[in-house]
Amino acid sequence: MSMTAIIGGTGLTDLDGLNIQREEVLETCWGAVSAPVLIGDFHGHEIVFLARHAQDHSLPPHKINYRANIQALELLGVDRIIAVNAVGGITEGMCGGVICIPDQIIDYTSNREHTFFSDDFEVTNHIDFTMPYDEKLRQSLIQGAIQVGLNIRQGGVYGCFNGPRLETAAEIRRMERDGCDLTGMTGMPEAALARELGLSYASICLVVNRAAGKADGEITIDGIRQVLVEGMQKVRQLIEASLVLIR
């Protein structure tokens, strides 16, 4: 039986509407998972939910144990992951409140444990990462958005930055030259780890602010929070609509 996991990011530390049937507090060979994993019914669909930053949002992006999180989901029988990411918007039109389903990633992170094969590597462990997001799962998200009338961006390049600080204006200009539409801090190595374990993976990105040098004035946490409240309601609606379409 196939099962879908939702990894919630900033603004989605719980999934409103999830009828929790059980919790799993897991410890993997890579260490502890970010939070208790919740298994339950979400509008008629059995799903697994994990709060990436912990339930109290105490884990910054560079401290998340991505390997433990992805390993735990696989151990629970998950075969596909919908990741929710709060991001900054770089290119024109990527403003606060926009939802994007990215199709590419550029990884700018460093000093993160980014593979399951660091200690026991074989030549067959080279994964094909040409298309970092699963296209079938991406299309389910896109079609779900269309069915409920959500205006989304159907593709884009996610640039993953280390954090926890926000980027400088010069760094954003560099990312834009590289082709990035979005900037975030949690997209990698999460996507690559899922690919290493053979799990389908796609992302719903909610733009919560214009990136450094693109915004009018200072980027504030209060401003980001305001966008998160309304935006995550749309994300939940999108997830519900998409689950019907996933096969």
Side-chain angles (χ1 to χ4, degrees), residues 11 19 27 30 56-57 60 72 75-76 102 108 117 170 178 189 195 241-242:
N19 179 21
E27 182 88 18
W30 308 105
D56 59 356
H57 206 278
L75 291 172
L76 287 171
Y108 298 94
F117 306 126
D178 287 348
R195 180 64 55 85
S242 301

Side-chain angles (χ1 to χ4, degrees), residues 15-48:
L15 189 60
D16 189 28
L18 176 63
N19 179 21
I20 300 170
Q21 295 167 347
R22 73 179 196 273
E23 291 188 12
E24 297 279 356
V25 179
L26 298 170
E27 182 88 18
T28 74
C29 61
W30 308 105
V33 179
S34 287
V37 182
L38 309 179
I39 299 98
D41 180 89
F42 183 68
H43 300 283
H45 302 276
E46 184 181 23
I47 68 157
V48 174

Side-chain angles (χ1 to χ4, degrees), residues 75-95:
L75 291 172
L76 287 171
V78 164
D79 53 13
R80 66 180 73 89
I81 297 170
I82 298 173
V84 179
N85 303 88
V87 299
I90 298 176
T91 49
E92 185 177 352
M94 292 293 186
C95 53

Side-chain angles (χ1 to χ4, degrees), residues 100-234:
C100 177
I101 311 300
D103 59 341
Q104 281 294 330
I105 298 176
I106 298 178
D107 188 5
Y108 298 94
T109 65
S110 60
N111 300 318
R112 293 188 180 186
E113 296 290 352
H114 63 280
T115 179
F116 290 113
F117 306 126
S118 56
D119 299 321
D120 186 18
F121 180 77
E122 298 179 4
V123 69
T124 55
N125 297 144
H126 288 295
I127 59 167
D128 179 3
F129 209 49
T130 306
M131 304 302 293
Y133 299 105
D134 181 83
E135 187 59 24
K136 186 176 179 181
L137 189 53
R138 261 186 18 91
Q139 289 301 322
S140 294
L141 296 174
I142 291 168
Q143 292 305 312
I146 291 171
Q147 287 194 7
V148 295
L150 288 177
N151 185 19
I152 65 166
R153 296 300 183 98
Q154 297 187 14
V157 180
Y158 179 120
C160 192
F161 198 76
N162 243 17
R165 68 170 176 84
L166 299 177
E167 303 81 13
T168 69
E171 287 166 336
I172 292 298
R173 289 196 297 270
R174 171 199 172 194
M175 293 173 78
E176 186 170 21
R177 289 194 299 271
D178 287 348
C180 295
D181 300 289
L182 308 165
T183 177
M185 301 177 189
T186 55
M188 287 291 285
E190 198 173 86
L193 292 169
R195 180 64 55 85
E196 286 187 349
L197 293 186
L199 308 180
S200 301
Y201 182 97
S203 169
I204 301 172
C205 287
L206 172 66
V207 180
V208 295
N209 62 277
R210 290 287 284 162
K214 303 290 183 178
D216 295 326
E218 182 181 357
I219 301 170
T220 66
I221 298 302
D222 285 342
I224 289 173
R225 286 186 180 127
Q226 290 176 10
V227 178
L228 279 170
V229 172
E230 181 178 348
M232 284 302 169
Q233 291 178 352
K234 294 179 180 178

